[in-house]
Amino acid sequence: MFKKVHLHLTLLCAGITAFIMIVMSLCYLYVSEEGLYKNQFQAFKNDINTITTNLEQQSVISMEWLSKMEAQGNYLFFVLDNGVPFLYNQLKNYDESILEDQLMQEALEHYNNTILIYPDVRTSNSYVSYHFEYEFSSVSTNTKYFASVISMGRYASSLEIIVLSSLTSLEKQIGEQRFHFVLIDLAAILALTIFSWIFTGKLLNPIIENQQKQIQFVASASHELRTPLAVILSAAECCKKASPQKQEGFLKTIRQEGLRMSSLVNDMLTLSQSDGHRFSIQMKPVELDTLLMNSYEAFEPLAKEKSISLSLDLPDEALPLCNADPERISQVISILLHNAISYTPEQGKINISLFYDKDNHYLSVKDNGIGISDEDKKKIFDRFYRAEKSRSTKGHFGLGLSIAYEIVKAHGGNIYITDAENGGSEFTVVL
């Protein structure tokens, strides 16, 4: 399932980004090409202005001058004297002359059609010169041109010069620009796809890990619930055939296993509330030293039963109040003390301490019990995780430290474990 989601997210992410990039590229190409056309057309008009000025200053138009102007601007000139083609155009080779004659006819036809639309281009003065620029596509050469018709009239005589500038070089430049953009976009789309695959993979990793944890959580919960349930069913079956004296023992067993199941279900509900952000935290100013003293008095009898020395170290000076939920913090202390007593051998020692430093309260529970390996320290707060040495300890489901972790995290604090000086472990809560 996650492979398909990964693929779809990659395609979606890369596709949207690539679409935006392509649209932006097309917009840039459009603006760029329009600018190139306008700049070249303006340069063509400036050249025509210069040519017209030169023609007005000459009384004779020589073929040498026409050849020079064609070579300088890469232009084609067609000269009509009173509608008759100038000798300059007839001196070229036959094929070239025929082709250029067709070009001239197409240019004049396009010009005359334009004049019909814009009649104000021409004037009626007895002595006048004017020029008109336009763009047209030639059918004979399949090429686009910038064209200009320069008309000069002197009384009854008229001279028309048609100047053509091929757009082949401009179109080649635009084609190369488009090709480069296509290559750049393809490379960018490939890079985006690779990046999207890696990026969406990292986004999905927490979801995949969370699902795996949920599957593991359900499997572990089912296993833990199955054991006491099997004992209850077995004891209930035995009660049917047992004598009244033995039934009391079976009923006691049923009650004990029922309490174990109730404890496990309550722990799972607590963690479920934490996952659903429905963790109930009632923050108020709390005297942590008082909470520790109450926890010490509550667990001292249990420690004496196992011949464990339980001590409490509190600072002599009064500490600032801590903004916390007293019931939840007491629950954390109870979990830590219960674990310490469970895994500390007889004649062992457990110490509870509290100190304040740099706006933080530090609660510590230290024992000299069996200790926790470095590998187990990394997973000690995971749900249903229990170190190998304590798996057979009845009544421990591996949820206590997970609950403690969630409570401390909900307070914005931190909880961590270190090795005690004389063996054992030390859990520290920072609030």
Side-chain angles (χ1 to χ4, degrees):
M1 180 186 73
F2 282 106
K3 289 183 178 179
K4 287 186 178 180
V5 173
H6 190 189
L7 179 60
H8 291 164
L9 284 177
T10 300
L11 294 176
L12 179 65
C13 182
I16 292 175
T17 311
F19 174 76
I20 295 173
M21 182 186 65
I22 290 172
V23 170
M24 295 301 293
S25 297
L26 292 175
C27 291
Y28 173 81
L29 285 174
Y30 175 79
V31 173
S32 175
E33 291 173 12
E34 285 290 313
L36 288 173
Y37 270 105
K38 288 181 180 179
N39 291 338
Q40 186 148 332
F41 189 62
Q42 186 60 46
F44 176 71
K45 292 176 69 174
N46 293 337
D47 288 346
I48 295 301
N49 285 331
T50 303
I51 293 171
T52 304
T53 302
N54 289 336
L55 286 172
E56 288 175 344
Q57 295 173 356
Q58 297 183 43
S59 57
V60 176
I61 301 175
S62 66
M63 288 186 289
E64 182 182 356
W65 181 84
L66 289 173
S67 298
K68 183 179 178 181
M69 295 303 294
E70 279 190 339
Q72 283 182 351
N74 195 23
Y75 296 140
L76 289 176
F77 279 75
F78 302 100
V79 184
L80 300 175
D81 186 5
N82 289 323
V84 179
F86 200 52
L87 182 62
Y88 172 76
N89 301 111
Q90 299 177 5
L91 293 177
K92 299 179 181 180
N93 65 63
Y94 179 78
D95 292 335
E96 186 177 352
S97 177
I98 293 295
L99 184 60
E100 291 188 358
D101 184 61
Q102 292 175 348
L103 271 176
M104 181 190 69
Q105 295 300 329
E106 289 177 350
L108 277 176
E109 183 180 354
H110 195 280
Y111 168 70
N112 290 328
N113 292 334
T114 305
I115 291 301
L116 293 176
I117 302 174
Y118 304 103
D120 295 337
V121 170
R122 288 176 174 167
T123 63
S124 59
N125 293 339
S126 59
Y127 182 89
V128 68
S129 65
Y130 67 89
H131 56 88
F132 179 71
E133 288 75 41
Y134 55 94
E135 179 184 343
F136 84 101
S137 298
S138 171
V139 178
S140 57
T141 60
N142 195 26
T143 306
K144 289 184 178 180
Y145 293 91
F146 286 145
S148 178
V149 176
I150 304 171
S151 181
M152 304 183 68
R154 187 173 299 173
Y155 305 107
S157 177
S158 67
L159 181 69
E160 287 185 331
I161 301 174
I162 303 170
V163 184
L164 300 181
S165 174
S166 174
L167 299 183
T168 303
S169 60
L170 178 61
E171 290 179 338
K172 181 180 179 182
Q173 180 183 353
I174 290 174
E176 290 177 352
Q177 180 175 264
R178 291 178 178 178
F179 178 72
H180 291 154
F181 263 83
V182 169
L183 290 181
I184 292 171
D185 284 349
L186 288 176
I189 290 172
L190 178 61
L192 280 171
T193 304
I194 296 173
F195 171 78
S196 299
W197 179 264
I198 297 172
F199 180 70
T200 52
K202 290 185 177 180
L203 285 179
L204 286 173
N205 279 339
I207 301 175
I208 296 173
E209 291 176 2
N210 186 52
Q211 189 198 41
Q212 291 174 346
K213 287 181 179 179
Q214 287 181 350
I215 293 173
Q216 183 180 1
F217 181 83
V218 171
S220 300
S222 301
H223 174 75
E224 296 292 351
L225 287 169
R226 184 172 56 188
T227 302
L229 185 60
V231 174
I232 290 173
L233 292 175
S234 177
E237 188 68 25
C238 293
C239 277
K240 295 180 180 180
K241 303 176 182 179
S243 61
Q245 293 80 8
K246 290 184 178 180
Q247 283 181 353
E248 185 177 351
F250 289 127
L251 291 174
K252 183 179 179 182
T253 300
I254 291 173
R255 184 176 182 278
Q256 289 176 345
E257 295 301 321
L259 290 174
R260 286 189 66 211
M261 289 184 65
S262 176
S263 175
L264 175 58
V265 170
N266 288 334
D267 288 347
M268 288 193 297
L269 287 175
T270 300
L271 292 173
S272 176
Q273 290 174 350
S274 172
D275 292 339
H277 303 287
R278 302 187 305 273
F279 214 54
S280 176
I281 298 291
Q282 305 295 329
M283 306 287 274
K284 60 182 179 181
V286 177
E287 294 179 350
L288 292 181
D289 51 357
T290 302
L291 289 184
L292 287 179
M293 289 181 63
N294 293 337
S295 298
Y296 169 79
E297 293 174 355
F299 279 87
E300 188 179 23
L302 182 60
K304 284 184 177 180
E305 287 182 10
K306 292 191 61 176
S307 301
I308 295 174
S309 172
L310 182 62
S311 59
L312 175 63
D313 292 334
L314 297 175
D316 296 331
E317 69 278 2
L319 298 182
L321 297 178
C322 179
N323 194 34
D325 186 328
E327 293 185 5
R328 292 296 188 182
I329 297 302
S330 295
Q331 186 179 1
V332 172
I333 299 170
S334 297
I335 290 170
L336 297 180
L337 285 174
H338 192 268
N339 278 357
I341 292 174
S342 298
Y343 303 134
T344 300
E346 293 185 0
Q347 308 303 321
K349 296 180 180 180
I350 298 175
N351 176 259
I352 312 169
S353 62
L354 171 68
F355 69 94
Y356 180 82
D357 182 44
K358 297 181 180 179
D359 298 330
N360 288 326
H361 293 81
Y362 293 83
L363 291 76
S364 172
V365 176
K366 179 170 57 175
D367 63 64
N368 63 347
I370 58 177
I372 300 174
S373 67
D374 292 336
E375 183 179 354
D376 290 331
K377 285 189 183 73
K378 300 176 183 177
K379 304 177 182 178
I380 198 68
F381 296 108
D382 291 349
R383 299 174 186 184
F384 287 110
Y385 182 81
R386 291 173 293 186
E388 212 44 60
K389 297 176 183 178
S390 63
R391 283 193 182 274
S392 60
T393 305
K394 193 171 182 179
H396 285 267
F397 303 103
L399 293 179
L401 291 178
S402 299
I403 294 173
Y405 174 81
E406 296 294 341
I407 292 173
V408 174
K409 187 175 70 172
H411 280 76
N414 188 24
I415 181 172
Y416 57 89
I417 180 175
T418 55
D419 293 328
E421 297 175 359
N422 300 321
S425 304
E426 180 177 4
F427 286 88
T428 304
V429 175
V430 184
L431 298 173

